[in-house]
Amino acid sequence: MTVTIGITVFAIAQGLTYPLISLLLAERGASEIVVGLNAAAFMLGLAISVLVVPALTRHLRAGQVIVAGLAGAAVTLVGFAVSDTFALWFVLRFALGFCVNAIYVFGEAWLNAASADTVRGRVAGVYSAGMTLGFVIGPLAIPLFGTEDGLAFAACAVLISLAAFGLGLMSRRARVEPEKLELADLPRFARAAPLLILLVLAFGFVDATVLSFAPLHMVGGGASTAAAATFIAVMHLGMIVAQPVLGVLLDRVDRWHVAIGCLAATGLIFGALMLLPATGMLIWPLGALGGAAFFGIYTSALAILGQEHKGPMLVAGASAFSLAYAAGGMLGPAATGALVNVMPGMTFALVAVLGMVSAVMLVWHR
């Protein structure tokens, strides 16, 4: 419960900042390349923070590290609320990624350490559903608070601060703690589980690309700003409904088969979304299905991690997940921004190709 609350609140911040910052940058004349690079700054913060996490684990408990990350994220969001300088927004986006990495690493290691393998898929499904609930709340704050005056950022900062306080109190009762992290374990995990890292790399690519560019794709196709934000929310509603169901499936069939299915479905659905009119009715059910499919990649990876790795390698795996997600998240928006700049309308082309190619690779190597 403690871990799920932490990740849900983090997801509110990420779900808000991705579409809101993209829309604000576009309104102020930023190009698609600038939008993509700004999203990549968040992922760079995630990656760099992995170098600091081992030092934190020597002095703080897992719950304390998560609370520190939430508190830092709240302060960063206040910075967005009071500033409109492009250069500073890159620094703040980096800082936000740096702070929330603690929630990724410790939350997922903690979750798997406390879960029995017979129900690991269902636990991962509930965890992912909580995360996606946060992603739904985040975009919905845009039409509620608007895009002016920094009110949406400020409201999110207040919510995160309250959650950090509550989580700090609850984490004192935790009976299970993940192992300490050593940087030397990261290359060991990479050699032992390259396909698992590929799964998370693909998820990071799709997640960052879709959250950053789907609003711009919608607006560019004639939809309103409110409709663009609502599309992100509908996509995540599909995730919420699907992840617990997917968790049951992960406990009953080969978890790698589920992951392959999610990759293939992601490629097909987003390829179709790219070809459909942004104002058509069909985009709404397809958006929900696409969100369910691509987030299922991560739910599958999380269940496989706990199934195949224990002890220090479990924590190393959670850290490797963070790096892989960050790498995919930096590459996806940057590459898509460059592509859309020269080929307008090809917003989801790389997502579609990556989903299908990754599915084929896993079938070939499994």
Side-chain angles (χ1 to χ4, degrees):
M1 178 61 73
T2 300
V3 176
T4 301
I5 290 173
I7 200 65
T8 300
V9 174
F10 151 70
I12 292 173
Q14 190 174 357
L16 169 70
T17 56
Y18 263 113
L20 179 58
I21 291 174
S22 294
L23 291 169
L24 288 174
L25 288 172
E27 286 178 3
R28 296 170 188 179
S31 68
E32 286 84 356
I33 293 177
V34 171
V35 173
L37 290 175
N38 189 269
F42 175 88
M43 299 301 173
L44 181 61
L46 281 178
I48 297 299
S49 68
V50 172
L51 302 177
V52 179
V53 167
L56 293 177
T57 62
R58 299 189 187 102
H59 307 290
L60 299 174
R61 295 169 56 240
Q64 293 172 320
V65 177
I66 293 174
V67 169
L70 287 170
V75 172
T76 303
L77 287 170
V78 171
F80 279 112
V82 300
S83 170
D84 57 2
T85 305
F86 274 16
L88 182 58
W89 275 30
F90 274 86
V91 175
L92 291 171
R93 201 75 181 271
F94 173 89
L96 185 63
F98 188 95
C99 291
V100 302
N101 180 66
I103 304 170
Y104 272 127
V105 173
F106 286 94
E108 288 158 15
W110 202 354
L111 185 81
N112 267 312
S115 301
D117 194 60
T118 54
V119 295
R120 193 178 307 281
R122 278 164 279 188
V123 171
V126 172
Y127 172 86
S128 295
M131 185 187 298
T132 53
L133 176 61
F135 282 132
V136 171
I137 295 172
L140 287 178
I142 296 175
L144 178 63
F145 293 106
T147 59
E148 302 298 328
D149 303 322
L151 185 59
F153 289 121
C156 192
V158 171
L159 178 62
I160 289 177
S161 299
L162 293 173
F165 177 76
L167 195 147
L169 295 178
M170 290 187 292
S171 66
R172 296 178 181 179
R173 304 176 183 178
R175 299 179 180 179
V176 178
E177 288 279 324
E179 298 280 345
K180 300 298 182 182
L181 173 64
E182 297 293 339
L183 285 178
D185 291 330
L186 286 174
R188 288 177 52 211
F189 181 84
R191 291 190 296 269
L195 295 182
L196 202 50
I197 291 176
L198 172 65
L199 272 183
V200 182
L201 182 72
F203 169 71
F205 188 106
V206 176
D207 187 43
T209 300
V210 169
L211 289 177
S212 295
F213 285 94
L216 303 184
H217 179 80
M218 293 284 291
V219 172
S224 67
T225 300
T230 304
F231 177 78
I232 299 294
V234 167
M235 188 167 56
H236 288 98
L237 281 172
M239 297 181 198
I240 294 174
V241 174
Q243 298 317 302
V245 176
L246 186 65
V248 174
L249 186 63
L250 285 164
D251 287 334
R252 295 184 177 178
V253 302
D254 188 300
R255 288 166 180 163
W256 281 104
H257 292 168
V258 177
I260 291 168
C262 289
L263 284 168
T266 296
L268 291 172
I269 292 169
F270 281 97
L273 279 170
M274 184 176 60
L275 302 176
L276 292 171
T279 54
M281 293 301 297
L282 193 56
I283 65 162
W284 301 104
L286 276 180
L289 289 173
F294 89 71
F295 211 90
I297 299 170
Y298 192 73
T299 302
S300 301
L302 191 60
I304 295 169
L305 172 64
Q307 172 187 326
E308 298 184 353
H309 301 279
K310 309 296 179 185
M313 290 296 280
L314 183 61
V315 186
S319 299
F321 274 19
S322 182
L323 286 172
Y325 177 79
M330 285 188 285
L331 179 60
T336 298
L339 176 64
V340 173
N341 198 49
V342 297
M343 299 179 67
M346 300 296 287
T347 313
F348 303 129
L350 296 179
V351 168
V353 170
L354 179 66
M356 297 306 299
V357 170
S358 298
V360 171
M361 287 180 61
L362 287 182
V363 169
W364 181 266
H365 288 287
R366 290 296 301 176

